[in-house]
Amino acid sequence: MRLPDDTQRISIVGRTGTGKTVAAAWHLSHANFDRMPWIVYDFKRDSLLMDIGDLEGVQHIELEDLPKKPGIYLVHPQPDDIEAVQNQMWQIWQQENTGVYVDEGYMVCGPPNVNRPFRTLLTQGRSKHVPMIILAQRPSWLDRFVFSESDFFQVFALNHSGDRKKMMEYVPADLSLPLPKYHSYYHDVARAETVVLKPVPNGDAILSTFDSRLTAMHKRKTVVLI
């Protein structure tokens, strides 16, 4: 199986408790944040994302900020911050070469919100080198462009039949059939390949990966400064 590269988008969906957030953090731990900034929209104050935010080298920013140096940058919007989120996403589109992680896609593009900059990042992000990781508990509530523009899908268990039906439009698997705990369907659009993915490493292992990569980044900067 392939992981997304520095231009591609992955949608990760599943009900609470299925392993969706851990899988997304695992993908982020392998992303190219050592070569470009990655902005992480943490709407839910997820515990794993908060642990990542406590690591040395991870920065917390405001919606008015636009980081230019490589690294991981957490922003914590309130539900009524949609206009500020949109403004920041326009800036990301203009800057290019910036990764975007959204911990709950519904917060930026669910009805009644039509988030034009978010759509633009989805449809033009490949040419602008804006990779994206988008999570959702209820995929049927999301903007259709989240899925039509995804290069990869990771689908965990979904409770609602409408959500399963929605994802079966894009992932050729019978999502009504149960999988073992924390397993998921992983679909590579370009290769038209679908596999059952075993659980990714746990949170502690993911934090260790982040920590080692961030430490290596700091050492490289120190050598350059000397």
Side-chain angles (χ1 to χ4, degrees):
M1 56 170 281
R2 299 186 302 166
L3 295 180
D5 65 21
D6 61 0
T7 68
Q8 294 177 314
R9 299 150 295 266
I10 181 170
S11 296
I12 304 174
V13 303
R15 68 171 184 261
T16 300
T18 56
K20 171 180 78 271
T21 302
V22 176
W26 177 76
H27 280 284
L28 181 62
S29 75
H30 290 280
N32 59 342
F33 59 81
D34 55 343
R35 299 193 300 277
M36 67 165 62
W38 268 82
I39 298 177
V40 178
Y41 290 95
D42 178 20
F43 286 94
K44 298 182 298 184
R45 307 301 194 272
D46 179 82
S47 59
L48 181 53
L49 288 180
M50 297 301 287
D51 288 341
I52 293 170
D54 288 338
L55 294 174
E56 185 175 358
V58 177
Q59 298 185 49
H60 296 258
I61 64 171
E62 303 297 329
L63 287 166
E64 296 77 18
D65 301 327
L66 184 65
K68 299 183 182 301
K69 296 181 180 180
I72 299 174
Y73 300 85
L74 267 66
V75 60
H76 308 283
Q78 299 294 322
D80 59 351
D81 284 336
I82 187 62
E83 184 175 352
V85 170
Q86 291 178 350
N87 289 337
Q88 188 177 53
M89 287 184 171
W90 275 133
Q91 294 180 59
I92 293 170
W93 177 83
Q94 293 171 342
Q95 174 170 279
E96 308 181 358
N97 300 297
T98 305
V100 174
Y101 176 116
V102 181
D103 78 328
E104 181 47 70
Y106 173 75
M107 298 300 295
V108 297
C109 67
N113 301 319
V114 176
N115 189 329
R116 287 186 59 241
F118 184 63
R119 279 187 176 182
T120 305
L121 289 176
L122 287 166
T123 56
Q124 300 180 15
R126 186 173 183 84
S127 62
K128 287 182 168 287
H129 285 253
V130 179
M132 304 180 77
I133 299 172
I134 304 162
L135 290 73
Q137 297 182 42
R138 294 295 313 274
S140 60
W141 291 354
L142 264 61
D143 191 310
R144 66 184 185 278
F145 286 95
V146 172
F147 304 119
S148 65
E149 304 305 315
S150 285
D151 302 283
F152 295 87
F153 294 88
Q154 191 165 356
V155 183
F156 292 84
L158 293 161
N159 282 343
H160 198 279
S161 60
D163 291 328
R164 293 194 295 269
K165 182 179 179 180
K166 179 70 174 179
M167 296 314 302
M168 287 170 64
E169 296 176 12
Y170 303 97
V171 178
D174 186 351
L175 302 182
S176 65
L177 299 176
L179 290 175
K181 192 174 184 179
Y182 303 136
H183 285 57
S184 59
Y185 290 102
Y186 188 82
H187 181 63
D188 183 328
V189 174
R191 290 185 175 177
E193 293 179 352
T194 307
V195 299
V196 174
L197 192 63
K198 294 181 179 180
V200 303
N202 63 24
D204 289 340
I206 292 169
L207 290 170
S208 178
T209 299
F210 276 114
D211 190 44
S212 62
R213 293 190 63 196
L214 290 164
T215 299
M217 286 176 61
H218 177 72
K219 288 181 178 178
R220 286 198 298 271
K221 291 178 182 177
T222 302
V223 170
V224 171
L225 290 174
I226 291 174

